[in-house]
Amino acid sequence: MKNEELVKLSFNYPEGQSRAVRVFVPEHEDGETLPVIYMTDGQNLFDEESSSFGSWHTREAVAAERQISGKAAIIVGIHNDGSPIQRTNELTPESIGRFEFPPDMPEEARAMIVPQGESFDEFVVNTVMPEVEARFPVKKGRENTAFCGSSSGGLQCFFTALSHPDIFSAAGVFSPCFMLYNGADFMGWIHGRLREEMPFLYLYSGGDEGLESVICSVTQMTSKALEESYPKGMLKTVIKPEAKHCEAAWEKIFVDFLHDFLALN
């Protein structure tokens, strides 16, 4: 039996800086390989000490799922712990479409938005994934690989999973910032990505007032549009009207996504 471990790695990021990635490998049998979930905001996934906003407690979620179903997953947390604007930029793809800034957003704030989501996508697929698969007991193949993120990370997760349906079989898209884009451009981008074989999409939003309420409205509209064209049985939408835009809410919903993903294996 191999004990669980949390390993911190460091990579060169496309924009030049060093990037931390933490890999959690749960307890497992000798020779056993496990499915893997790649996740944004790795600083918020495993413990309170590394996060300013609270932890998702993914290690505990994996242990609980092992008790319930006998299945477990490796969690790969890619840190997005720079400034808020840096995090927004690196988790916001440019190619989805035109941005629709709030009318009252100052010009200087608009000028700070420099989308780099395509660079993050390339970093995950071409740098992080090969190293993780080489160093850890990962069960390889599309059906064993998922992506998950929240807020800007939910947007990036959606972009990466739909851009690489041959790599990811599931995506946990939590409180995604879809509202950043022109609606027609956004839907056009989605329809341009649809194929016969698409990842299982777990769309989630809370409904609390403020930002989460806006996100909820656009998430529901996106879900309705997807229902018309997305492969049957591959879309699940969960709305929690009372839930806030925070780690405590995403921690709870991750448990459900984890179970659904592992049930696909």
Side-chain angles (χ1 to χ4, degrees):
M1 178 69 73
K2 299 284 189 180
N3 293 329
E4 70 172 41
E5 59 177 345
L6 182 62
V7 180
K8 187 174 183 179
L9 307 177
S10 182
F11 293 89
N12 291 323
Y13 193 66
E15 306 303 322
Q17 68 271 40
S18 178
R19 179 57 51 94
V21 174
R22 290 191 291 173
V23 181
F24 171 66
V25 182
E27 184 179 75
H28 60 285
E29 300 287 345
D30 289 348
E32 182 183 10
T33 55
L34 300 168
V36 58
I37 305 176
Y38 295 88
M39 301 182 66
T40 62
D41 291 301
Q43 71 279 0
N44 298 334
L45 301 180
F46 304 110
D47 50 58
E48 305 288 347
E49 290 75 18
S50 61
S51 172
S52 301
F53 303 100
S55 171
W56 289 37
H57 298 106
T58 57
R59 290 189 289 186
E60 290 83 352
V62 171
E65 179 61 30
R66 177 75 98 172
Q67 290 292 319
I68 294 168
S69 68
K71 298 180 179 182
I74 292 170
I75 306 295
V76 179
I78 302 156
H79 282 223
N80 303 103
D81 50 0
S83 68
I85 190 62
Q86 177 185 336
R87 176 185 176 276
T88 296
N89 285 340
E90 66 192 24
L91 296 176
T92 302
E94 181 178 28
S95 56
I96 289 177
R98 292 166 291 171
F99 291 107
E100 298 212 330
F101 296 110
D104 58 348
M105 186 175 184
E107 284 297 329
E108 58 269 24
R110 299 185 189 201
M112 295 176 70
I113 304 296
V114 184
Q116 301 163 3
E118 287 78 8
S119 292
F120 187 83
D121 173 81
E122 182 180 343
F123 175 66
V124 172
V125 171
N126 296 326
T127 300
V128 176
M129 289 183 67
E131 184 70 10
V132 168
E133 290 183 351
R135 293 185 55 171
F136 300 95
V138 170
K139 186 178 288 186
K140 299 176 184 178
R142 173 187 183 273
E143 66 276 13
N144 304 302
T145 310
F147 203 108
C148 183
S150 63
S151 195
S152 295
L155 168 62
Q156 182 66 42
C157 168
F158 186 77
F159 174 83
T160 293
L162 265 63
S163 296
H164 305 282
D166 57 323
I167 295 176
F168 299 97
S169 66
V173 181
F174 302 166
S175 304
C177 294
F178 294 158
M179 73 289 184
L180 293 175
Y181 299 96
N182 170 272
D185 286 0
F186 181 59
M187 292 312 305
W189 182 88
I190 290 174
H191 287 295
R193 297 294 178 285
L194 294 179
R195 303 289 184 271
E196 184 175 337
E197 185 174 55
M198 296 298 291
F200 168 70
L201 277 183
Y202 189 116
L203 287 180
Y204 160 78
S205 178
D208 192 57
E209 62 182 17
L211 174 61
E212 193 72 353
S213 176
V214 175
I215 286 174
C216 184
S217 176
V218 182
T219 299
Q220 289 177 309
M221 287 190 292
T222 303
S223 176
K224 278 190 174 182
L226 284 170
E227 285 175 359
E228 300 174 2
S229 52
Y230 210 74
K232 298 298 182 186
M234 296 300 288
L235 174 66
K236 178 176 180 177
T237 303
V238 176
I239 303 296
K240 300 283 188 181
E242 74 290 348
K244 300 180 184 297
H245 192 82
C246 64
E247 272 65 28
W250 301 323
E251 172 189 356
K252 293 175 182 176
I253 213 69
F254 174 74
V255 173
D256 193 40
F257 169 70
L258 173 68
H259 179 79
D260 284 357
F261 167 55
L262 292 178
L264 297 173
N265 284 256

